[in-house]
Amino acid sequence: MEMDGDPYNLPAQGQGNIIITKYEQGHRAGAAVDLGHEQVDVRKYTNNLGIVHEMELPHVSALEVK
């Protein structure tokens, strides 16, 4: 098995080529395409203390508002 170069540099050269290829593709290569922003009413997900929840909160009654 003969090698055409310094055996210590060959793995580094291969790794360097991978890094350069990824750099040229950009940081979002392979990421899902962003189709735009969806309008969300944050008030529906925020309680009276300002804590945002994942699910929509039930409507507040008039008694609770008082």
Side-chain angles (χ1 to χ4, degrees):
M1 181 171 135
E2 291 184 30
M3 300 197 134
D4 293 338
D6 187 9
Y8 297 106
N9 285 336
L10 291 177
Q13 287 174 350
Q15 185 69 17
N17 292 339
I18 293 170
I19 292 170
I20 291 171
T21 303
K22 288 183 179 181
Y23 177 80
E24 289 172 348
Q25 291 174 351
H27 72 285
R28 301 279 301 182
V33 177
D34 186 12
L35 299 176
H37 300 288
E38 180 182 339
Q39 294 291 346
V40 176
D41 187 10
V42 178
R43 293 175 290 179
K44 292 181 180 179
Y45 298 91
T46 307
N47 66 9
N48 61 339
L49 299 175
I51 299 171
V52 180
H53 298 270
E54 291 182 16
M55 296 175 24
E56 187 174 334
L57 299 175
H59 295 287
V60 180
S61 69
L63 183 60
E64 290 177 323
V65 171
K66 264 186 156 178

